[in-house]
């Protein structure tokens, strides 16, 4: 009997509801839909038209689309820009307990990632969901939901949050689809479940037949390149370069690379690549944003600020090396500390900057909905700390032995130089001793470089495919 009742409800609701008709778009109503629809059927969409009821102006909305499951929803956001934040929305979902479609209004405050639902008792005439062909239909087999309802043009309360739809107000329209609307207040989206109109629209006008742009569904190629360059620069090049310069100066004592010590050239090459990639990535960001970022919402606006700070520090540090004094000069410690502090600050700031970048609106809702890239970065930060701590402890353990080797080598070198000056019996030039514990250090740098490369490749792939 229960199954029969449910089936009967589906039949009655479908038969009693007129399907959304897109043939009158720009004639009697405005429309928003994907660029490709088959036989006037779209995966999702929205329509609107101005009506009057009880001497009050309303917008009659029609929302429709594949909501993926019986616990799904579809909503329409009214946004001043192409991103959801500080905006109002309306949405509907199918209540599997009462077997009916529920329509709700809500908003997302500025500088927030969570939505708030409007209490219907605060304004009972804000939404009208019954009468005059209003209603809904839900086909469980296809998870296809349609709902037709009306929202007051100008809310009596909280008009700034819910948005006043009266002209000349124009809004970008964002269709969102997700699941669990009550627990998350229409905030849990499916991957790729967000699409934004290419232009803004005056909701009271029917003269719009908008198509969605996929700017926020998938990040554009320029943004992907920006993110990939930054990951390669700071997760791999910078992290390995920092380890080499701090803990491997005494390695490869009798070998050279391009006329310099091996550690120095590896450090210089890696950091040079890091600075170059950072500059290119920032240039791409400015091209994409057509100037400096216009984001005003916390924490999104922090990303470009931190990015420019990292860029400035990364560019300044190599130029400081042109003022590097001789190793025995009295001012050399000041240079060493300045170079170390600037480089460390840049590296420390780069990781939270990348984390914020993965949550930027331009990264796309699909990438922003993923949590594991952030956990991968957190793992790498912990791994980097453990590697440096291990090498510090290793250095302390072998400090006395390596110091004794250096003193012995300096004495032998001094004897050799004295013999050369006197012109006595030639003796072979002493060979600089290999440091103690070098096998372990070879293992650590191999492990660190491998893990850094794997993490960088994974993050670049994640950025590229989302």
């Amino acid at each position: 009997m229960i199954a029969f009742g449910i089936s009967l409800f589906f039949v009655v609701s479908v038969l009693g509801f007129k399907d959304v008709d897109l043939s009158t778009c720009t004639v009697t109503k405005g429309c928003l839909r994907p660029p490709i629809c088959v036989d006037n059927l779209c995966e999702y969409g929205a329509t609107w038209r101005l009506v009057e009821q009880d001497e009050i102006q309303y917008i009659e909305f029609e929302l429709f689309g594949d909501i993926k499951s019986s616990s799904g929803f579809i909503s329409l956001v009214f946004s001043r820009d192409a991103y959801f934040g500080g905006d109002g929305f309306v949405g509907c979902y199918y209540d599997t307990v009462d077997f009916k479609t529920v329509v709700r209004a809500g908003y997302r405050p500025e500088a927030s990632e969570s939505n708030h639902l409007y209490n219907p008792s605060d304004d009972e005439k804000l939404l009208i969901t019954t009468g005059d062909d209003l209603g809904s239909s839900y086909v469980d087999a296809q998870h296809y939901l349609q709902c037709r309802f009306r929202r007051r043009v100008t809310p009596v309360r909280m008009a700034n949050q819910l948005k006043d739809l009266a002209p000349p107000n124009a809004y970008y329209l964002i269709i969102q689809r997700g699941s669990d609307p009550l627990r998350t207040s229409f905030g849990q989206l499916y991957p790729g479940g967000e699409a934004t109109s290419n232009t803004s629209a005056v909701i009271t006008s029917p003269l719009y037949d908008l198509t969605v742009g996929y700017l926020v569904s998938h990040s554009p190629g320029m943004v992907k390149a920006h993110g990939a360059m930054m990951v390669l620069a700071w997760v791999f090049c910078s992290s390995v370069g920092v380890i080499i310069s701090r803990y491997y100066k005494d390695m490869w004592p009798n070998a050279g690379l391009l006329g310099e010590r091996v550690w120095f050239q590896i450090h210089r090459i890696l950091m040079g690549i890091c600075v170059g990639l950072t500059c290119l990535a920032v240039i791409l960001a400015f091209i994409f944003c057509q100037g400096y970022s216009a984001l005003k919402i916390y924490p999104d606006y922090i990303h470009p600020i931190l990015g420019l700070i990292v860029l400035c520090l990364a560019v300044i540090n190599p130029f400081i090396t042109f003022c590097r004094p001789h190793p025995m000069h009295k001012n050399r410690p000041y240079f060493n500390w300045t170079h170390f502090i600037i480089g460390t600050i840049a590296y420390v700031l780069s990781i939270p900057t990348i984390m914020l970048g993965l949550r930027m609106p331009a990264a796309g809702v699909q990438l922003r909905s993923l949590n594991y890239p952030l956990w991968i970065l957190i793992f790498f930060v912990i791994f980097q700390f453990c590697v440096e701590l291990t090498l510090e402890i290793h250095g302390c353990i072998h400090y006395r032995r390596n110091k004794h080797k250096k003193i012995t080598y300096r004495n032998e070198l001094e004897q050799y130089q004295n013999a050369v000056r006197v012109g006595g019996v030639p003796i072979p030039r002493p060979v600089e001793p290999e440091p103690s514990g070098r096998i372990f250090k070879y293992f650590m740098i191999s492990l660190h470089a491998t893990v850094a490369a794997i993490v960088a490749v994974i993050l670049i792939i994640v950025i590229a495919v989302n």
Side-chain angles (χ1 to χ4, degrees):
M1 289 297 293
I2 295 176
F4 174 77
I6 295 173
S7 302
L8 180 62
F9 174 82
F10 284 145
V11 171
V12 171
S13 62
V14 171
L15 292 178
F17 179 82
K18 293 182 180 179
D19 287 340
V20 176
D21 182 11
L22 300 179
S23 63
T24 57
C25 289
T26 72
V27 179
T28 62
K29 57 187 174 184
C31 297
L32 172 65
R33 49 186 165 176
I36 299 177
C37 295
V38 180
D39 296 330
N40 211 30
L41 296 176
C42 304
E43 182 184 358
Y44 57 85
T47 74
W48 61 90
R49 69 187 183 100
L50 180 64
V51 298
E52 187 171 302
Q53 181 172 336
D54 299 330
E55 299 183 350
I56 300 175
Q57 286 191 326
Y58 285 86
I59 299 295
E60 184 173 291
F61 288 103
E62 295 174 315
L63 303 182
F64 57 93
D66 178 6
I67 59 173
K68 309 296 184 183
S69 71
S70 59
S71 62
F73 70 83
I74 184 168
S75 63
L76 184 67
V77 177
F78 316 114
S79 177
R80 291 291 187 182
D81 52 32
Y83 308 110
F84 189 15
D87 304 315
F89 67 89
V90 290
C92 58
Y93 66 93
Y94 182 70
D95 188 338
T96 56
V97 176
D98 295 331
F99 307 114
K100 66 178 182 179
T101 300
V102 180
V103 179
R104 297 296 298 270
Y107 62 94
R108 174 176 291 183
E110 291 280 359
S112 175
E113 291 293 327
S114 59
N115 301 339
H116 297 271
L117 294 180
Y118 186 74
N119 188 350
S121 62
D122 291 340
D123 183 3
E124 295 181 353
K125 292 188 177 182
L126 176 68
L127 295 173
I128 297 178
T129 59
T130 58
D132 294 334
D133 291 330
L134 304 181
S136 63
S137 74
Y138 175 67
V139 181
D140 190 50
Q142 288 81 35
H143 303 305
Y144 200 82
L145 176 64
Q146 301 180 80
C147 56
R148 184 180 296 116
F149 58 92
R150 293 173 180 174
R151 206 214 82 169
R152 187 196 292 262
V153 172
T154 303
V156 175
R157 300 183 59 186
M158 303 182 70
N160 289 334
Q161 290 84 0
L162 299 174
K163 298 306 176 187
D164 183 358
L165 305 182
N169 295 324
Y171 299 97
Y172 284 87
L173 302 178
I174 305 174
I175 293 179
Q176 296 186 328
R177 291 176 294 159
S179 62
D180 204 358
L182 286 183
R183 186 179 65 84
T184 64
S185 300
F186 291 80
Q188 180 173 306
L189 305 185
Y190 298 125
E194 184 174 270
T196 305
S197 61
N198 287 319
T199 60
S200 58
V202 177
I203 308 298
T204 55
S205 171
L207 302 178
Y208 292 91
D209 190 6
L210 305 178
T211 56
V212 299
Y214 292 93
L215 174 64
V216 293
S217 296
H218 297 274
S219 58
M222 196 173 295
V223 174
K224 293 179 187 292
H226 168 84
M229 287 180 180
M230 284 301 197
V231 167
L232 181 60
W234 294 99
V235 173
F236 179 74
C237 294
S238 179
S239 64
V240 177
V242 165
I243 293 291
I244 289 289
S245 67
R246 289 183 186 173
Y247 304 105
Y248 286 80
K249 291 180 180 178
D250 57 349
M251 300 292 286
W252 311 287
N254 300 298
L257 180 63
L258 302 176
E260 294 284 354
R261 298 291 290 263
V262 174
W263 76 265
F264 180 74
Q265 290 291 45
I266 294 176
H267 172 73
R268 185 157 63 177
I269 291 170
L270 288 174
M271 300 314 291
I273 295 173
C274 175
V275 174
L277 289 174
T278 302
C279 292
L280 287 175
V282 172
I283 291 172
L284 289 179
F286 270 90
I287 294 174
F288 174 75
C289 296
Q290 298 180 347
Y292 184 74
S293 173
L295 291 172
K296 304 296 183 184
I297 299 175
Y298 175 87
D300 295 339
Y301 71 84
I302 296 178
H303 175 78
I305 295 174
L306 289 179
L308 289 178
I309 293 174
V310 170
L311 172 68
C312 292
L313 294 174
V315 171
I316 289 172
N317 222 15
F319 281 100
I320 291 178
T321 60
F322 291 113
C323 305
R324 181 176 67 247
H326 188 272
M328 303 306 295
H329 195 278
K330 64 178 182 178
N331 292 329
R332 182 59 181 250
Y334 298 109
F335 162 80
N336 290 341
W337 277 107
T338 302
H339 189 62
F340 168 79
I341 291 172
I342 292 177
T344 300
I345 293 175
Y347 181 67
V348 169
L349 291 179
S350 67
I351 299 301
T353 305
I354 294 174
M355 289 182 173
L356 289 172
L358 294 173
R359 284 293 186 264
M360 291 286 285
V365 68
Q366 190 157 322
L367 181 57
R368 289 159 58 199
S369 64
L370 301 177
N371 290 322
Y372 68 85
L374 297 180
W375 286 109
I376 291 174
L377 276 173
I378 292 171
F379 156 77
F380 183 72
V381 170
I382 297 173
F383 173 76
Q384 178 85 9
F385 174 78
C386 292
V387 168
E388 295 200 29
L389 180 61
T390 302
L391 289 173
E392 287 284 355
I393 296 173
H394 179 270
C396 292
I397 293 173
H398 294 278
Y399 174 76
R400 290 182 179 273
R401 189 179 303 174
N402 286 328
K403 183 178 180 180
H404 177 71
K405 286 185 176 182
K406 289 180 181 179
I407 293 174
T408 302
Y409 170 70
R410 288 173 185 169
N411 292 334
E412 293 176 352
L413 184 62
E414 186 176 350
Q415 293 175 6
Y416 167 78
Q417 291 172 344
N418 290 335
V420 171
R421 281 196 298 268
V422 172
V425 179
I427 59 175
R429 181 184 177 89
V431 177
E432 187 171 349
E434 295 281 352
S436 299
R438 60 187 178 278
I439 302 301
F440 180 77
K441 293 182 77 171
Y442 285 141
F443 167 76
M444 289 302 297
I445 192 61
S446 300
L447 175 65
H448 178 268
T450 301
V451 173
I454 292 173
V455 170
V457 169
I458 291 175
L459 291 176
I460 290 173
I461 292 174
V462 170
I463 292 171
V465 301
N466 289 285

